Amino acid sequence: MPVLLQPLSDPLLTHKGVELAVLREDLLHPGIPGNKWRKLKYNLQAAQKQGCETLVTFGGAFSNHIAAVAAAGKEFGFSTIGYIRGEETLPLNPTLAFATGCGMQLRYLSRSDYRLRQDTRFQAEILKSAPKPYLLPEGGTNLLAVKGCTKIVTELTAPWDMLCVAAGTGGTLAGIVAGAVGKGKIIGFPALKGGEFLWDEVTELVQEYAGRTYQNWELQTGYHFGGYAKHTPELLDFIQTFHQRHDILLDPVYTGKILFGVFDLIRKDYFPEGTKLIAVHTGGQQGWAGYAQRYGLAWPSADIIK
């Protein structure tokens, strides 16, 4: 699929002399959008090559990753099992209802057991009940995911100076850093409070994948809005206004925070005049239905989310 780069027109950009375009990774695949498709692509190929039958993974109750793995399993002929953090709550929220609709079996872990998700003995135990399993980590981040995310940069043909992306587990950011091979400047916007830990995570992933590290990237940790999946009225107002102006739906967990941060940094003259910026839209819109339901939000409406 061709790269879709959507330039933005905004008085602030004109005033500051900065160019900004949104890389519409969210349009990559109808059921597995954005960085989730990038992360899963080579993992799905590996699972098929190894003769695996069941994709097994972990996530929270509103996880984009859980929804994407369920959709991938349905499309590519895998059974899927999702280990969900916390107790079962009925009726299922829209994310988990979508996952089960795709055929995913949901199994719930107490928060103490969920903390063992990276323990090899714990993994071996839960995999015993899955026919020919292929284990995907929480968020989908492994070296095959990093490989997939390098394509975000290598497929770009338009000139750019700085590339901005949201960061959760760090896999997408690591892939972009590795794919850029020292070109330009990469800025990661952690969606979690205390996102400084991602420096070590990303550095390690890049080193393991590329056999070296790069210094042309940084983290902007001041735009988490209280922590993962937290928001403020200011953030929601920004997302709604952004949609009205540019007809691009952001999500409140990742992409809303990064674009808010980018515009705030532009306003503060962080970027020199003439800078060509690209902000990566990594998807996440599927989470809106559950998010709006959870917080009693009147916007966005169902026809916007679809």
Side-chain angles (χ1 to χ4, degrees), residues 35-98:
N35 64 333
K36 298 308 176 188
W37 171 245
R38 298 288 193 182
K39 288 182 172 184
L40 285 171
K41 179 180 177 180
Y42 292 109
N43 277 289
L44 293 171
Q45 290 178 5
Q48 290 171 331
K49 186 175 181 179
Q50 295 169 25
C52 297
E53 296 178 357
T54 310
L55 305 177
V56 182
T57 196
F58 305 89
F62 296 87
S63 167
N64 294 324
H65 172 67
I66 287 291
V69 171
K74 180 179 180 181
E75 179 163 342
F76 294 96
F78 293 98
S79 298
T80 53
I81 299 174
Y83 283 89
I84 310 302
R85 181 181 63 248
E87 297 179 354
E88 180 182 28
T89 301
L90 296 175
L92 296 175
N93 70 42
T95 297
L96 296 184
F98 171 82

Side-chain angles (χ1 to χ4, degrees), residues 197-258:
F197 79 93
L198 283 172
W199 181 263
D200 291 337
E201 296 283 335
V202 172
T203 299
E204 184 176 335
L205 282 169
V206 173
Q207 174 68 50
E208 194 172 354
Y209 176 80
R212 59 160 297 176
T213 58
Y214 297 96
Q215 303 304 315
N216 63 321
W217 67 283
E218 66 178 49
L219 295 173
Q220 285 287 339
T221 59
Y223 297 100
H224 54 74
F225 291 87
Y228 183 75
K230 300 291 181 64
H231 69 268
T232 65
E234 184 181 22
L235 176 63
L236 296 182
D237 286 345
F238 171 82
I239 293 172
Q240 186 171 5
T241 300
F242 190 89
H243 180 260
Q244 292 168 346
R245 287 181 179 173
H246 307 294
D247 196 28
I248 300 174
L249 181 62
L250 307 174
D251 82 294
V253 180
Y254 293 106
T255 56
K257 294 179 179 181
I258 171 197

